[in-house]
């Protein structure tokens, strides 16, 4: 029972310090198995590669594999990082990469304000090279921008509570 209640603190700043000396410049195409987006089936745009190069400089990027290990070993983790480290934009994408959205499962990422939910969803859709409202969407009061294909949704706390009331197990 104890192993299921273990919590580990994961600090992106510590990882930044640990790996800052080992940074290497990696060309985006060297890191990809294919030049096609697995979510859309279309070739990646040049804008995708430009954004990917910037993403790879974020502290969260360097901690990606360690995050995967922590998720494999723990039921709950607490993620802490500086503003701009990639907690909101990168970690949900990593969860998609790790397979958490397989079998029609989705990821919900709450934001404190309506504008934040919309703008972060737009940014993540650009980073993933997908159309906003299709694979990545948002839900705010009086406005929804998602479909049945959406597997990553940004929403306000109130909208998550509303979804939990209508679907207590959050099966959607």
């Amino acid at each position: 029972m104890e192993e299921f209640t273990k919590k580990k603190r994961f600090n992106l700043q510590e990882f930044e310090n640990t790996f800052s000396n080992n940074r290497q410049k990696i060309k985006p195409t060297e890191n990809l198995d294919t030049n096609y987006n697995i979510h859309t089936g279309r070739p990646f745009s040049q804008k995708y590669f430009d954004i990917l190069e910037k993403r790879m400089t974020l502290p969260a990027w360097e901690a990606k594999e360690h995050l995967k290990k922590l998720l494999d070993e723990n039921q709950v983790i607490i993620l802490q990082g500086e503003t701009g480290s990639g907690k909101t934009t990168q970690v949900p994408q990593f969860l998609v990469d790790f397979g958490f959205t397989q079998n029609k499962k989705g990821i919900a990422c709450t934001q404190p304000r309506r504008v934040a939910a919309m703008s972060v969803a737009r940014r993540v859709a650009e980073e993933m090279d997908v159309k906003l409202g299709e694979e990545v969407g948002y839900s705010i009061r009086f406005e929804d921008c998602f479909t049945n294909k959406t597997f990553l949704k940004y929403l306000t706390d109130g909208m998550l509570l509303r979804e939990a009331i209508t679907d207590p197990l959050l099966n959607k």
Side-chain angles (χ1 to χ4, degrees):
M1 181 72 165
E2 184 180 336
E3 80 179 48
F4 291 108
T5 58
K6 255 195 302 187
K7 295 179 185 176
K8 288 190 182 176
R9 193 169 193 126
F10 178 60
N11 188 319
L12 286 175
Q13 185 61 44
E14 289 176 19
F15 269 101
E16 175 67 34
N17 294 336
T18 303
F19 292 105
S20 63
N21 296 331
N22 299 327
R23 280 195 176 165
Q24 296 176 356
K25 181 83 171 162
I26 300 171
K27 293 181 183 175
T29 53
E30 291 175 357
N31 234 15
L32 300 173
D33 294 335
T34 179
N35 286 322
Y36 287 87
N37 189 324
I38 62 169
H39 306 298
T40 64
R42 296 186 308 256
F44 285 115
S45 67
Q46 183 57 47
K47 185 176 181 180
Y48 168 82
F49 291 107
D50 295 341
I51 293 172
L52 180 59
E53 191 171 351
K54 292 174 188 159
R55 288 178 60 203
M56 293 170 73
T57 66
L58 293 171
W61 189 272
E62 291 185 9
K64 184 177 181 177
E65 290 306 314
H66 186 70
L67 176 63
K68 182 174 182 2
K69 183 176 183 249
L70 286 173
L71 289 167
D72 289 341
E73 295 173 352
N74 299 281
Q75 187 176 21
V76 175
I77 63 170
I78 297 172
L79 184 66
Q80 172 186 328
E82 297 293 324
T83 301
S85 62
K87 299 178 305 294
T88 302
T89 58
Q90 303 311 299
V91 172
Q93 291 179 73
F94 297 162
L95 296 176
V96 171
D97 294 344
F98 299 155
F100 281 86
T101 57
Q102 292 176 352
N103 301 322
K104 300 209 179 229
K105 292 182 181 176
I107 295 170
C109 186
T110 60
Q111 294 297 299
R113 310 250 184 288
R114 296 167 46 96
V115 175
M118 291 187 310
S119 62
V120 171
R122 185 177 308 112
R123 174 64 186 184
V124 170
E126 285 178 5
E127 289 183 2
M128 294 180 72
D129 207 17
V130 298
K131 185 177 177 187
L132 179 63
E134 294 292 320
E135 293 80 9
V136 176
Y138 64 87
S139 179
I140 58 175
R141 192 169 176 207
F142 305 124
E143 186 178 348
D144 289 330
C145 182
F146 63 90
T147 65
N148 290 339
K149 287 176 39 178
T150 303
F151 52 77
L152 179 52
K153 189 190 312 183
Y154 289 86
L155 61 168
T156 57
D157 297 343
M159 293 306 291
L160 180 61
L161 288 172
R162 184 171 288 172
E163 286 194 23
I165 290 170
T166 60
D167 182 13
L169 298 177
L170 294 173
N171 287 323
K172 291 189 272 183

